Amino acid sequence: MLREWEPGEVRTMDDFVAELRKLKARAGNPSITQITRRVHLAWQRAGRPCGEWPARSTVGNCFRFGRRRPNADLLLAVVHALVDGDAAAVSAWRQALRTVLGEAEAAGRVAAAGRLPDLPAGHVVREGLVERASHVLDDGALVLEGQAGIGKTSLAVDLARHIRTAGPVLFADLRGSAVGGAPPADPRAVLESFLRILGVAGERIPYGLDARVRLYRQLLGASAPLVVLDDAADADQVRPLLPAGPPGTTLVTSRTRLAELDGVRRMSVPALEPKEALAVLRATAGAGRIEEDEQTAGRMAELLGRHPLALSVIGRHLREHPDWELADYSPEPLTALALEGGVRAALAATDAKLPGESRRLLRLLALHPRRPFTARTAAVLAGRPDTETRALLTALVRSHLVEEGAAGYHLPNLVHAYARERIGIDEPASCVRRAVERVFVHHYSTGVVAV
């Protein structure tokens, strides 16, 4: 529980200012003049020269939203004045300010370019999917959605290379699912990069988001631009970066279904076709390694759900371990190697952005056999009402961690393996045992005795 003087959760400078305004109200709503006098008195006692004391207007600016260059020293002095020197409270505000400034700096770091990125060595063009996407796409925006590592970025770049445009090309990594705690890119910072690429001098770039959006769309105008927005976090991040409309094409990739984004077409990126999966293994492991036992290689691809990232990981392992025969890759070592090689990190980044109860449900679903299940079964596993469980499943489906089909819900093989790892770490054995008992009783009572 928060103490009276401590801030709530803050991530942006505007959040910090909002909390500072609440603190001012809790402190009896002193006037800016009174706060300024308190700051002057504190700095006088600390021996700071009069030339450093802030003006009343400068103190007043601490309570304004849209701060561009916050003075951390003064902000903490204002907090000190409002909490009457409470050391614990000042320390909490100092930590909140460090978090805000660190988040702002990290979110402001943007990877943007005026050209398309290079694709990794061994990349296999998914010609059928590119053709299908080309039929879906016209002037406007197309969102490519799918599971982590399923090949959304590669597809977007391949598709973009098929689009002829006389206008500018803009690419940005929005870091919606970045590994390592990096925050998603700030749309305002992305627009600054785009405006510089479009030839706007730094001093001419406006500060506010709305002003940047207006200038960006004005410059693109009727020039038929090609904009690729990779790894979007949510609709709010994407919306300011969309050009005003046709002519032109915008491609967006995301691990989340951006249902709130209006006026765009959507396409779910599926797993590779069997031939494409073998092609990825050949490209990464070497054609000879695969052709010596193509049937076993095909079974390996199926066990990995024909997942591009997982196949690339196993292909590299095959190349680096020529003493391993394809038959050595039995199911459990195969999925373990794929997780260790990067799939775990990709899934964990998606998992980390889920609500807590959806994350717990994902782990409990690993207790179910690898076959379709109903929302009722999921509710029994979770020990929650059906309506609540459906909402949790919806969050998992939106994040492409659970698939929904005519036969019910399904956990992809690699997600199942990841969730199976996590349940032993995140859930106590007693909870796991009770979940298994609940689902056993449920299936027994409904006649599904095969379970």
Side-chain angles (χ1 to χ4, degrees):
M1 185 175 178
L2 287 174
R3 294 176 57 185
E4 181 185 5
W5 299 119
E6 293 180 5
E9 184 177 354
V10 297
R11 291 197 63 184
T12 68
M13 196 60 223
D14 280 353
D15 291 342
F16 187 93
V17 171
E19 289 297 309
L20 192 63
R21 289 182 172 196
K22 292 177 187 177
L23 179 64
K24 182 173 179 288
R26 288 198 295 269
N29 216 13
S31 68
I32 299 300
T33 300
Q34 289 174 308
I35 297 171
T36 304
R37 286 173 181 162
R38 294 178 192 175
V39 172
H40 288 179
L41 182 60
W43 283 13
Q44 182 183 28
R45 288 172 178 164
R48 297 183 66 157
C50 294
E52 294 183 8
W53 298 0
R56 179 186 178 282
S57 59
T58 305
V59 172
N61 285 340
C62 292
F63 296 90
R64 290 180 56 190
F65 292 116
R67 299 293 309 279
R68 188 168 189 176
R69 296 185 182 87
N71 182 331
D73 192 28
L74 179 57
L75 284 168
L76 291 175
V78 169
V79 168
H80 189 279
L82 291 172
V83 302
D84 198 24
D86 185 321
V90 173
S91 176
W93 281 89
R94 181 179 292 107
Q95 183 57 47
L97 186 58
R98 284 175 180 164
T99 299
V100 165
L101 296 178
E103 286 274 349
E105 182 182 354
R109 290 195 290 269
V110 173
R115 64 177 184 83
L116 298 174
D118 296 328
L119 288 167
H123 168 66
V124 173
V125 177
R126 304 175 69 176
E127 294 178 357
L129 200 54
V130 170
E131 184 178 353
R132 205 174 103 207
S134 298
H135 289 311
V136 173
L137 182 62
D138 198 352
D139 281 347
L142 173 64
V143 181
L144 300 170
E145 302 169 341
Q147 190 184 342
I150 205 68
K152 301 178 294 296
T153 302
S154 298
L155 176 60
V157 174
D158 281 335
L159 185 55
R161 288 176 174 171
H162 282 71
I163 297 170
R164 293 184 179 181
T165 178
V169 174
L170 298 170
F171 177 92
D173 177 3
L174 302 185
R175 288 198 313 272
S177 53
V179 179
D186 183 345
R188 199 162 55 88
V190 176
L191 284 169
E192 179 177 354
S193 296
F194 279 176
L195 289 170
R196 289 180 185 277
I197 291 168
L198 293 170
V200 181
E203 64 273 12
R204 288 192 55 236
I205 296 175
Y207 172 71
L209 176 63
D210 291 344
R212 288 185 180 183
V213 171
R214 283 194 297 272
L215 179 57
Y216 167 67
R217 291 176 176 169
Q218 177 188 335
L219 289 172
L220 293 180
S223 63
L226 171 60
V227 181
V228 181
L229 305 172
D230 188 37
D231 193 19
D234 52 38
D236 289 339
Q237 186 190 33
V238 171
R239 207 173 280 115
L241 306 176
L242 297 175
T249 302
T250 304
L251 299 174
V252 183
T253 74
S254 180
R255 296 184 186 183
T256 304
R257 290 187 180 174
L258 306 181
E260 303 83 3
L261 206 57
D262 297 325
V264 302
R265 296 172 179 83
R266 291 178 177 79
M267 180 174 165
S268 183
V269 180
L272 295 165
E273 295 294 329
K275 289 183 179 178
E276 294 169 339
L278 287 176
V280 170
L281 285 174
R282 286 192 193 94
T284 50
R289 290 284 274 142
I290 303 307
E291 288 166 4
E292 66 188 28
D293 190 352
E294 196 168 290
Q295 189 174 7
T296 300
R299 283 199 298 269
M300 290 166 59
E302 292 301 320
L303 285 168
L304 294 171
R306 290 183 260 116
H307 187 279
L309 176 57
L311 289 165
S312 298
V313 169
I314 297 303
R316 289 195 297 271
H317 192 274
L318 276 163
R319 188 183 66 240
E320 294 163 5
H321 297 79
D323 53 324
W324 282 53
E325 297 179 6
L326 267 65
D328 291 330
Y329 293 85
S330 56
E332 287 193 18
L334 186 70
T335 52
L337 282 169
L339 289 171
E340 191 66 24
V343 175
R344 181 188 293 109
L347 291 173
T350 306
D351 178 34
K353 297 184 185 301
L354 289 169
E357 287 302 320
S358 287
R359 298 183 71 199
R360 181 171 182 269
L361 177 60
L362 178 67
R363 286 142 180 76
L364 291 172
L365 290 174
L367 300 172
H368 194 269
R370 296 189 185 189
R371 62 178 193 159
F373 56 88
T374 64
R376 178 65 191 135
T377 300
V380 171
L381 270 169
R384 302 177 70 90
D386 289 10
T387 50
E388 288 183 22
T389 305
R390 285 185 184 278
L392 302 179
L393 281 170
T394 297
L396 293 172
V397 171
R398 281 174 60 99
S399 297
H400 297 276
L401 291 170
V402 168
E403 296 174 353
E404 185 179 9
Y409 297 94
H410 172 71
L411 235 60
N413 281 1
L414 291 168
V415 177
H416 192 284
Y418 168 79
R420 191 81 183 184
E421 280 188 350
R422 293 305 314 177
I423 194 170
I425 299 169
D426 301 329
E427 292 292 323
S430 57
C431 290
V432 173
R433 185 176 61 253
R434 287 194 293 270
V436 172
E437 289 170 352
R438 285 194 302 270
V439 80
F440 180 81
V441 170
H442 167 69
H443 282 309
Y444 187 82
S445 64
T446 54
V448 191
V449 293
V451 175

Coordinates of all heavy atoms in Angstrom, one line a residue, residues 143-224:
V143 N -1.9 -5.1 -42.0 CA -1.2 -5.6 -40.7 C -1.0 -7.1 -40.8 O -1.9 -7.9 -41.0 CB -2.1 -5.3 -39.5 CG1 -1.4 -5.7 -38.2 CG2 -2.4 -3.8 -39.4
L144 N 0.3 -7.5 -40.7 CA 0.7 -8.9 -40.6 C 0.8 -9.3 -39.2 O 1.7 -8.8 -38.5 CB 2.0 -9.1 -41.4 CG 1.9 -8.7 -42.9 CD1 3.4 -8.7 -43.5 CD2 1.0 -9.6 -43.7
E145 N 0.0 -10.2 -38.7 CA -0.1 -10.6 -37.3 C 0.3 -12.1 -37.2 O 0.0 -12.9 -38.1 CB -1.5 -10.4 -36.8 CG -1.9 -8.9 -36.9 CD -3.4 -8.8 -36.5 OE1 -4.2 -9.8 -36.6 OE2 -3.8 -7.6 -36.2
G146 N 0.9 -12.4 -36.1 CA 1.3 -13.8 -35.9 C 2.2 -14.0 -34.7 O 2.7 -13.1 -34.0
Q147 N 2.4 -15.3 -34.5 CA 3.3 -15.8 -33.3 C 4.7 -15.2 -33.4 O 5.2 -14.9 -34.5 CB 3.3 -17.3 -33.3 CG 3.8 -17.9 -32.1 CD 3.9 -19.5 -32.3 OE1 3.2 -20.0 -33.1 NE2 4.7 -20.1 -31.5
A148 N 5.3 -15.1 -32.3 CA 6.7 -14.7 -32.2 C 7.6 -15.7 -33.1 O 7.5 -16.9 -33.0 CB 7.2 -14.8 -30.8
G149 N 8.4 -15.1 -33.9 CA 9.3 -15.9 -34.8 C 8.7 -16.6 -36.0 O 9.4 -17.4 -36.6
I150 N 7.5 -16.2 -36.3 CA 6.8 -16.9 -37.4 C 7.2 -16.4 -38.8 O 6.8 -16.9 -39.8 CB 5.2 -16.9 -37.2 CG1 4.5 -18.0 -37.9 CG2 4.7 -15.5 -37.6 CD1 4.8 -19.4 -37.3
G151 N 7.9 -15.3 -38.8 CA 8.4 -14.7 -40.1 C 7.6 -13.5 -40.6 O 7.6 -13.2 -41.8
K152 N 7.1 -12.7 -39.7 CA 6.3 -11.6 -40.1 C 7.2 -10.5 -40.7 O 6.8 -9.9 -41.8 CB 5.6 -11.0 -38.9 CG 4.6 -11.9 -38.2 CD 3.9 -11.3 -37.0 CE 4.9 -11.0 -35.9 NZ 5.5 -12.2 -35.3
T153 N 8.3 -10.2 -40.1 CA 9.2 -9.2 -40.7 C 9.7 -9.6 -42.0 O 9.8 -8.7 -43.0 CB 10.4 -8.9 -39.7 OG1 9.9 -8.5 -38.4 CG2 11.3 -7.8 -40.2
S154 N 10.2 -10.8 -42.2 CA 10.7 -11.3 -43.5 C 9.6 -11.2 -44.5 O 9.9 -10.7 -45.7 CB 11.2 -12.7 -43.3 OG 12.2 -12.8 -42.4
L155 N 8.4 -11.6 -44.2 CA 7.3 -11.5 -45.1 C 7.0 -10.0 -45.5 O 6.8 -9.7 -46.7 CB 6.0 -12.1 -44.6 CG 4.8 -12.0 -45.4 CD1 5.0 -12.7 -46.8 CD2 3.6 -12.6 -44.7
A156 N 7.1 -9.1 -44.5 CA 6.8 -7.7 -44.8 C 7.9 -7.1 -45.8 O 7.6 -6.4 -46.7 CB 6.8 -6.9 -43.5
V157 N 9.1 -7.5 -45.5 CA 10.2 -7.0 -46.4 C 10.1 -7.6 -47.8 O 10.3 -6.9 -48.8 CB 11.6 -7.3 -45.8 CG1 12.7 -6.9 -46.7 CG2 11.7 -6.5 -44.4
D158 N 9.8 -8.9 -47.9 CA 9.7 -9.5 -49.2 C 8.5 -8.9 -49.9 O 8.6 -8.6 -51.1 CB 9.4 -11.0 -49.0 CG 10.6 -11.9 -48.8 OD1 11.7 -11.4 -49.1 OD2 10.5 -12.9 -48.1
L159 N 7.4 -8.7 -49.2 CA 6.2 -8.0 -49.9 C 6.6 -6.6 -50.3 O 6.2 -6.2 -51.4 CB 5.1 -8.1 -48.9 CG 3.7 -7.6 -49.4 CD1 3.3 -8.3 -50.6 CD2 2.7 -7.7 -48.2
A160 N 7.3 -5.9 -49.4 CA 7.6 -4.5 -49.8 C 8.5 -4.4 -51.0 O 8.4 -3.5 -51.8 CB 8.4 -3.9 -48.6
R161 N 9.4 -5.4 -51.2 CA 10.2 -5.4 -52.4 C 9.5 -5.7 -53.7 O 10.0 -5.4 -54.8 CB 11.3 -6.5 -52.2 CG 12.4 -6.1 -51.2 CD 13.4 -7.2 -51.0 NE 14.4 -6.7 -50.1 CZ 15.4 -7.4 -49.5 NH1 15.4 -8.7 -49.8 NH2 16.3 -6.9 -48.7
H162 N 8.2 -6.2 -53.6 CA 7.4 -6.4 -54.7 C 6.6 -5.1 -55.1 O 5.9 -5.1 -56.1 CB 6.4 -7.5 -54.5 CG 7.1 -8.9 -54.7 ND1 8.0 -9.4 -53.8 CD2 7.0 -9.8 -55.7 CE1 8.4 -10.6 -54.2 NE2 7.8 -10.9 -55.3
I163 N 6.6 -4.1 -54.2 CA 5.8 -2.9 -54.4 C 6.6 -1.9 -55.1 O 7.7 -1.5 -54.6 CB 5.3 -2.4 -53.0 CG1 4.4 -3.5 -52.4 CG2 4.5 -1.1 -53.2 CD1 4.0 -3.1 -51.0
R164 N 6.2 -1.4 -56.2 CA 6.9 -0.3 -56.9 C 6.3 1.0 -56.5 O 5.1 1.2 -56.5 CB 6.7 -0.5 -58.4 CG 7.4 -1.7 -59.0 CD 7.3 -1.8 -60.5 NE 8.0 -3.0 -61.0 CZ 8.0 -3.3 -62.3 NH1 7.4 -2.5 -63.2 NH2 8.7 -4.4 -62.7
T165 N 7.2 1.9 -56.0 CA 6.8 3.2 -55.6 C 7.7 4.3 -56.0 O 9.0 4.0 -56.0 CB 6.6 3.2 -54.0 OG1 6.2 4.5 -53.6 CG2 7.9 2.8 -53.3
A166 N 7.2 5.4 -56.4 CA 8.0 6.5 -56.7 C 8.3 7.4 -55.5 O 9.1 8.3 -55.5 CB 7.3 7.4 -57.8
G167 N 7.5 7.1 -54.4 CA 7.7 7.9 -53.2 C 8.7 7.4 -52.3 O 9.4 6.4 -52.6
P168 N 8.9 8.1 -51.1 CA 9.9 7.7 -50.2 C 9.6 6.3 -49.5 O 8.5 5.9 -49.4 CB 9.9 8.8 -49.1 CG 8.5 9.3 -49.2 CD 8.1 9.2 -50.7
V169 N 10.7 5.7 -49.1 CA 10.6 4.4 -48.3 C 11.0 4.7 -46.9 O 12.1 5.3 -46.7 CB 11.5 3.3 -48.9 CG1 11.5 2.1 -48.1 CG2 11.0 3.0 -50.4
L170 N 10.2 4.3 -45.9 CA 10.5 4.5 -44.5 C 10.3 3.2 -43.8 O 9.3 2.5 -43.9 CB 9.5 5.6 -43.9 CG 9.6 7.0 -44.6 CD1 8.4 7.8 -44.0 CD2 10.9 7.6 -44.2
F171 N 11.3 2.9 -43.0 CA 11.2 1.7 -42.1 C 11.6 2.0 -40.7 O 12.5 2.8 -40.4 CB 12.2 0.6 -42.7 CG 12.3 -0.6 -41.8 CD1 11.5 -1.7 -42.2 CD2 13.1 -0.7 -40.7 CE1 11.5 -2.9 -41.4 CE2 13.1 -1.9 -39.9 CZ 12.3 -3.0 -40.3
A172 N 10.8 1.4 -39.8 CA 11.1 1.7 -38.3 C 10.8 0.4 -37.5 O 9.8 -0.3 -37.8 CB 10.3 2.8 -37.8
D173 N 11.7 0.1 -36.6 CA 11.5 -1.0 -35.7 C 10.9 -0.4 -34.4 O 11.5 0.4 -33.7 CB 12.9 -1.6 -35.3 CG 12.7 -2.7 -34.3 OD1 11.6 -3.1 -33.8 OD2 13.8 -3.3 -33.8
L174 N 9.6 -0.8 -34.2 CA 8.8 -0.2 -33.1 C 9.1 -0.8 -31.7 O 8.5 -0.4 -30.7 CB 7.3 -0.2 -33.4 CG 7.0 0.6 -34.7 CD1 5.4 0.6 -34.9 CD2 7.5 2.0 -34.7
R175 N 9.8 -2.0 -31.7 CA 10.2 -2.6 -30.5 C 9.0 -3.0 -29.6 O 9.0 -2.9 -28.4 CB 11.2 -1.8 -29.6 CG 12.5 -1.7 -30.2 CD 13.5 -1.2 -29.1 NE 13.0 -0.1 -28.4 CZ 13.2 1.2 -28.7 NH1 13.9 1.5 -29.8 NH2 12.7 2.2 -27.9
G176 N 7.9 -3.4 -30.2 CA 6.7 -3.8 -29.4 C 6.9 -5.0 -28.5 O 6.2 -5.1 -27.5
S177 N 7.8 -5.8 -28.9 CA 8.1 -7.0 -28.1 C 9.5 -7.2 -27.8 O 10.0 -8.4 -27.8 CB 7.5 -8.3 -28.8 OG 8.0 -8.3 -30.1
A178 N 10.2 -6.1 -27.7 CA 11.7 -6.2 -27.5 C 12.1 -7.0 -26.2 O 11.4 -7.0 -25.2 CB 12.3 -4.8 -27.3
V179 N 13.1 -7.8 -26.4 CA 13.6 -8.7 -25.3 C 14.5 -7.8 -24.4 O 15.2 -6.9 -24.9 CB 14.4 -9.9 -25.8 CG1 15.0 -10.7 -24.7 CG2 13.5 -10.7 -26.7
G180 N 14.5 -8.0 -23.1 CA 15.4 -7.3 -22.2 C 14.8 -6.1 -21.5 O 15.6 -5.3 -21.0
G181 N 13.5 -5.9 -21.6 CA 12.9 -4.8 -20.9 C 12.9 -3.4 -21.6 O 12.5 -2.4 -21.0
A182 N 13.4 -3.3 -22.8 CA 13.4 -2.1 -23.6 C 12.0 -1.7 -23.9 O 11.2 -2.5 -24.3 CB 14.2 -2.2 -24.8
P183 N 11.6 -0.4 -23.6 CA 10.2 0.0 -23.9 C 10.0 0.1 -25.4 O 10.9 0.3 -26.2 CB 10.1 1.4 -23.2 CG 11.5 1.9 -23.2 CD 12.4 0.7 -23.1
P184 N 8.7 0.0 -25.8 CA 8.4 0.3 -27.2 C 8.8 1.7 -27.6 O 8.9 2.6 -26.8 CB 6.8 0.2 -27.2 CG 6.5 -0.7 -26.0 CD 7.5 -0.3 -25.0
A185 N 9.1 1.8 -28.9 CA 9.6 3.1 -29.4 C 8.4 4.2 -29.3 O 7.3 3.9 -29.5 CB 10.0 3.0 -30.9
D186 N 8.8 5.4 -28.8 CA 7.9 6.5 -28.7 C 7.5 7.0 -30.1 O 8.4 7.3 -30.9 CB 8.5 7.6 -27.9 CG 7.6 8.8 -27.6 OD1 6.6 8.9 -28.3 OD2 8.0 9.6 -26.8
P187 N 6.2 7.0 -30.5 CA 5.8 7.5 -31.8 C 6.3 8.9 -32.1 O 6.7 9.2 -33.3 CB 4.3 7.5 -31.8 CG 3.9 6.5 -30.7 CD 5.0 6.6 -29.7
R188 N 6.5 9.7 -31.1 CA 7.0 11.0 -31.3 C 8.4 11.0 -31.8 O 8.9 11.7 -32.7 CB 6.9 11.9 -30.0 CG 6.9 13.4 -30.2 CD 6.4 14.1 -29.0 NE 7.0 13.6 -27.8 CZ 8.2 14.2 -27.3 NH1 8.7 15.2 -27.9 NH2 8.7 13.8 -26.2
A189 N 9.2 10.0 -31.2 CA 10.6 9.9 -31.6 C 10.7 9.3 -33.0 O 11.6 9.6 -33.8 CB 11.4 9.0 -30.6
V190 N 9.8 8.3 -33.3 CA 9.8 7.7 -34.6 C 9.5 8.8 -35.7 O 10.2 8.9 -36.7 CB 8.8 6.6 -34.7 CG1 8.7 6.1 -36.2 CG2 9.1 5.5 -33.8
L191 N 8.6 9.7 -35.4 CA 8.2 10.7 -36.3 C 9.4 11.7 -36.5 O 9.6 12.2 -37.6 CB 7.0 11.5 -35.8 CG 5.7 10.8 -36.0 CD1 4.5 11.5 -35.3 CD2 5.3 10.7 -37.5
E192 N 10.1 12.0 -35.4 CA 11.3 12.8 -35.6 C 12.3 12.2 -36.5 O 12.8 12.9 -37.4 CB 12.0 13.1 -34.2 CG 13.2 13.9 -34.3 CD 13.8 14.2 -33.0 OE1 13.3 13.9 -31.9 OE2 14.9 14.8 -33.0
S193 N 12.5 10.9 -36.4 CA 13.5 10.2 -37.3 C 12.9 10.3 -38.8 O 13.7 10.5 -39.7 CB 13.7 8.8 -36.9 OG 14.3 8.7 -35.6
F194 N 11.7 10.0 -38.9 CA 11.1 10.0 -40.3 C 11.2 11.4 -40.9 O 11.5 11.5 -42.1 CB 9.6 9.6 -40.2 CG 9.4 8.1 -40.1 CD1 8.1 7.5 -40.0 CD2 10.5 7.2 -40.2 CE1 7.9 6.2 -40.0 CE2 10.3 5.8 -40.2 CZ 9.0 5.3 -40.1
L195 N 10.9 12.4 -40.1 CA 10.9 13.8 -40.6 C 12.4 14.2 -41.1 O 12.6 14.8 -42.1 CB 10.4 14.8 -39.6 CG 8.9 14.7 -39.3 CD1 8.5 15.6 -38.1 CD2 8.1 15.2 -40.6
R196 N 13.4 13.7 -40.3 CA 14.7 14.0 -40.7 C 15.1 13.3 -42.0 O 15.8 13.8 -42.9 CB 15.7 13.5 -39.6 CG 15.7 14.4 -38.3 CD 16.6 13.9 -37.3 NE 16.5 14.7 -36.0 CZ 17.1 15.8 -35.8 NH1 17.9 16.4 -36.7 NH2 17.0 16.5 -34.7
I197 N 14.6 12.0 -42.1 CA 14.8 11.2 -43.4 C 14.2 11.9 -44.5 O 14.7 12.0 -45.7 CB 14.3 9.8 -43.2 CG1 15.2 9.0 -42.2 CG2 14.3 9.1 -44.6 CD1 14.5 7.7 -41.8
L198 N 13.0 12.6 -44.3 CA 12.3 13.3 -45.3 C 12.9 14.7 -45.6 O 12.4 15.4 -46.5 CB 10.8 13.4 -45.0 CG 10.0 12.1 -44.9 CD1 8.7 12.3 -44.3 CD2 9.9 11.5 -46.3
G199 N 14.0 15.0 -44.9 CA 14.7 16.3 -45.2 C 14.4 17.4 -44.4 O 14.8 18.6 -44.6
V200 N 13.7 17.3 -43.3 CA 13.3 18.4 -42.4 C 14.5 18.6 -41.4 O 15.0 17.7 -40.7 CB 12.1 18.1 -41.6 CG1 11.7 19.3 -40.7 CG2 10.9 17.8 -42.5
A201 N 15.0 19.8 -41.3 CA 16.1 20.1 -40.4 C 15.6 20.0 -39.0 O 14.4 20.3 -38.7 CB 16.6 21.5 -40.7
G202 N 16.5 19.7 -38.1 CA 16.2 19.5 -36.7 C 15.4 20.6 -36.0 O 14.5 20.4 -35.3
E203 N 15.9 21.9 -36.3 CA 15.2 23.0 -35.7 C 13.8 23.3 -36.2 O 13.1 24.0 -35.6 CB 16.1 24.3 -35.9 CG 16.3 24.7 -37.3 CD 17.5 24.1 -38.0 OE1 18.0 23.1 -37.5 OE2 17.9 24.5 -39.1
R204 N 13.5 22.7 -37.4 CA 12.1 22.9 -37.9 C 11.1 21.8 -37.5 O 10.0 21.8 -37.8 CB 12.2 22.9 -39.5 CG 12.8 24.1 -40.1 CD 12.6 24.2 -41.6 NE 11.2 24.1 -41.9 CZ 10.6 23.1 -42.7 NH1 11.4 22.2 -43.3 NH2 9.4 23.1 -43.0
I205 N 11.6 20.8 -36.7 CA 10.7 19.7 -36.3 C 10.0 20.1 -35.1 O 10.6 20.5 -34.1 CB 11.6 18.4 -36.0 CG1 12.2 17.9 -37.2 CG2 10.6 17.3 -35.4 CD1 13.1 16.7 -37.0
P206 N 8.6 20.2 -35.1 CA 7.9 20.6 -34.0 C 8.0 19.7 -32.8 O 8.4 18.5 -33.0 CB 6.4 20.7 -34.5 CG 6.4 19.8 -35.7 CD 7.8 19.8 -36.3
Y207 N 7.7 20.1 -31.6 CA 7.8 19.3 -30.4 C 6.6 18.3 -30.2 O 6.8 17.2 -30.0 CB 8.0 20.2 -29.2 CG 8.0 19.4 -27.9 CD1 9.0 18.5 -27.5 CD2 6.9 19.4 -27.0 CE1 9.0 17.8 -26.4 CE2 6.8 18.6 -25.9 CZ 7.9 17.8 -25.6 OH 7.9 17.1 -24.4
G208 N 5.4 18.8 -30.3 CA 4.2 18.1 -30.0 C 4.0 17.0 -31.0 O 4.3 17.0 -32.2
L209 N 3.3 15.9 -30.5 CA 3.0 14.7 -31.3 C 2.0 15.1 -32.5 O 2.3 14.8 -33.6 CB 2.3 13.6 -30.5 CG 1.8 12.4 -31.3 CD1 3.0 11.7 -31.9 CD2 1.1 11.4 -30.3
D210 N 1.0 15.9 -32.2 CA 0.0 16.2 -33.2 C 0.6 17.1 -34.3 O 0.3 16.9 -35.5 CB -1.2 17.0 -32.6 CG -2.0 16.1 -31.7 OD1 -1.9 14.9 -31.8 OD2 -2.8 16.6 -30.9
A211 N 1.5 18.0 -33.9 CA 2.2 18.9 -34.9 C 3.1 18.0 -35.8 O 3.2 18.3 -37.0 CB 2.9 20.0 -34.2
R212 N 3.8 17.1 -35.2 CA 4.7 16.2 -36.0 C 3.8 15.3 -37.0 O 4.3 15.1 -38.1 CB 5.5 15.3 -35.1 CG 6.6 16.1 -34.3 CD 7.5 15.2 -33.5 NE 8.5 16.0 -32.9 CZ 9.5 15.5 -32.1 NH1 9.6 14.2 -31.9 NH2 10.4 16.3 -31.5
V213 N 2.7 14.8 -36.5 CA 1.8 14.0 -37.4 C 1.4 14.8 -38.6 O 1.4 14.4 -39.7 CB 0.6 13.5 -36.6 CG1 -0.4 12.8 -37.5 CG2 1.1 12.5 -35.5
R214 N 1.0 16.1 -38.3 CA 0.5 17.0 -39.4 C 1.6 17.2 -40.4 O 1.3 17.1 -41.6 CB 0.0 18.3 -38.8 CG -1.4 18.2 -38.2 CD -2.0 19.6 -38.0 NE -1.2 20.4 -37.0 CZ -1.4 20.4 -35.7 NH1 -2.3 19.6 -35.2 NH2 -0.6 21.1 -34.9
L215 N 2.8 17.5 -40.0 CA 3.9 17.8 -40.9 C 4.3 16.5 -41.6 O 4.5 16.6 -42.9 CB 5.1 18.3 -40.1 CG 6.3 18.7 -40.9 CD1 6.0 19.7 -42.0 CD2 7.5 19.2 -40.0
Y216 N 4.3 15.4 -41.0 CA 4.7 14.1 -41.6 C 3.7 13.8 -42.7 O 4.1 13.5 -43.9 CB 4.6 13.1 -40.5 CG 4.6 11.6 -40.9 CD1 5.7 11.1 -41.5 CD2 3.5 10.8 -40.6 CE1 5.7 9.7 -41.9 CE2 3.5 9.5 -40.9 CZ 4.6 8.9 -41.6 OH 4.6 7.6 -41.9
R217 N 2.4 13.9 -42.5 CA 1.4 13.6 -43.5 C 1.4 14.6 -44.6 O 1.1 14.3 -45.7 CB 0.0 13.5 -42.8 CG -0.1 12.2 -41.9 CD -1.4 12.1 -41.1 NE -1.4 10.9 -40.4 CZ -2.3 10.6 -39.4 NH1 -3.3 11.4 -39.1 NH2 -2.2 9.4 -38.8
Q218 N 1.6 15.8 -44.2 CA 1.7 16.9 -45.3 C 2.9 16.6 -46.2 O 2.7 16.7 -47.5 CB 1.9 18.2 -44.6 CG 2.0 19.4 -45.6 CD 2.4 20.7 -44.8 OE1 2.1 20.8 -43.6 NE2 3.1 21.6 -45.5
L219 N 4.0 16.2 -45.7 CA 5.2 16.0 -46.5 C 5.0 14.7 -47.4 O 5.4 14.7 -48.6 CB 6.4 15.8 -45.7 CG 7.0 17.0 -45.0 CD1 8.1 16.6 -44.0 CD2 7.5 18.0 -46.0
L220 N 4.3 13.7 -46.9 CA 4.1 12.5 -47.7 C 3.0 12.8 -48.8 O 3.2 12.3 -49.9 CB 3.6 11.4 -46.8 CG 4.7 10.8 -45.8 CD1 4.1 9.7 -45.0 CD2 5.9 10.3 -46.6
G221 N 2.0 13.6 -48.4 CA 1.0 14.0 -49.4 C 0.6 13.0 -50.4 O 0.2 11.9 -50.0
A222 N 0.8 13.3 -51.7 CA 0.4 12.4 -52.8 C 1.6 11.7 -53.4 O 1.6 11.3 -54.5 CB -0.4 13.2 -53.8
S223 N 2.6 11.4 -52.5 CA 3.9 10.9 -53.1 C 4.0 9.4 -53.1 O 5.0 8.8 -53.5 CB 5.1 11.4 -52.2 OG 5.0 10.9 -50.9
A224 N 2.9 8.7 -52.8 CA 2.8 7.2 -52.8 C 4.0 6.6 -52.0 O 4.8 5.9 -52.5 CB 2.9 6.7 -54.2

